[in-house]
Amino acid sequence: DLHSFPTRRSSDLEIVKGNRFYLTVSSCHVDWPEIPAGSQNWIRTPYSEGIVFDSCDNLEFTDNTISLGYNSRSGSDDTIYVLDVVNSDNVTISGNTINALGADHIYGIVVENADNFTVCNNDIDVSSDVHQAVGIDVEGPAVGTVIDNNITANGTLVNAVYSGMNWKSATVSIENNSIVAIGYAANAIELGGTSATVEGNAILAK
């Protein structure tokens, strides 16, 4: 079952703390339907994810360990999202350890449509066997902070910290992180969206 990952929807004040997740998933394509037709509003519809929180305001995801790998691939541009937080405000993701291996595309933490989020003090190590590895991805509309994380991404194409891929408003502060990007095309930080503050980071790209 491709959907047999932990999922939580429509909750207020969700606390997930001190757990260990050992996950193996299939790496599948992502659908991008245009809703409504002709609007140029493309909706990310993934099938391969580790842990998902949708519409969970005041989420606290802290001090957890996630180890994720894949056991098969299907479709073009197959993609895995390890921790996916969408449509949720006042989110804190802190003190977690994420180690993940994907095939074509893998994303460590995704925050999308989130106001007042904080991603801090996490250890994130993601690698792609085939193409792209992304450590943290912020997609609009979103406002928040990425601070004091250790982020390592390894692949052919690397975006250790990424924002604004969906062309929507994203305002993010990226501060005091240790960022390592290793790949043929290694981007430590790639920014889109509305605005960003990048300050005090230690960056190695090679």
Side-chain angles (χ1 to χ4, degrees), residues 92-108:
T92 299
I93 301 170
S94 177
N96 303 287
T97 299
I98 296 175
N99 291 285
L101 175 64
D104 208 350
H105 303 270
I106 186 161
Y107 292 72

Side-chain angles (χ1 to χ4, degrees), residues 12 29-30 39 59 79 98 102 104 121 142 146 155-156 162-163 173 192 205:
D12 194 15
H29 74 288
V30 178
S39 66
L59 168 68
T79 303
I98 296 175
D104 208 350
N121 297 306
V146 175
T156 302
Y162 199 25
S163 74
S173 296

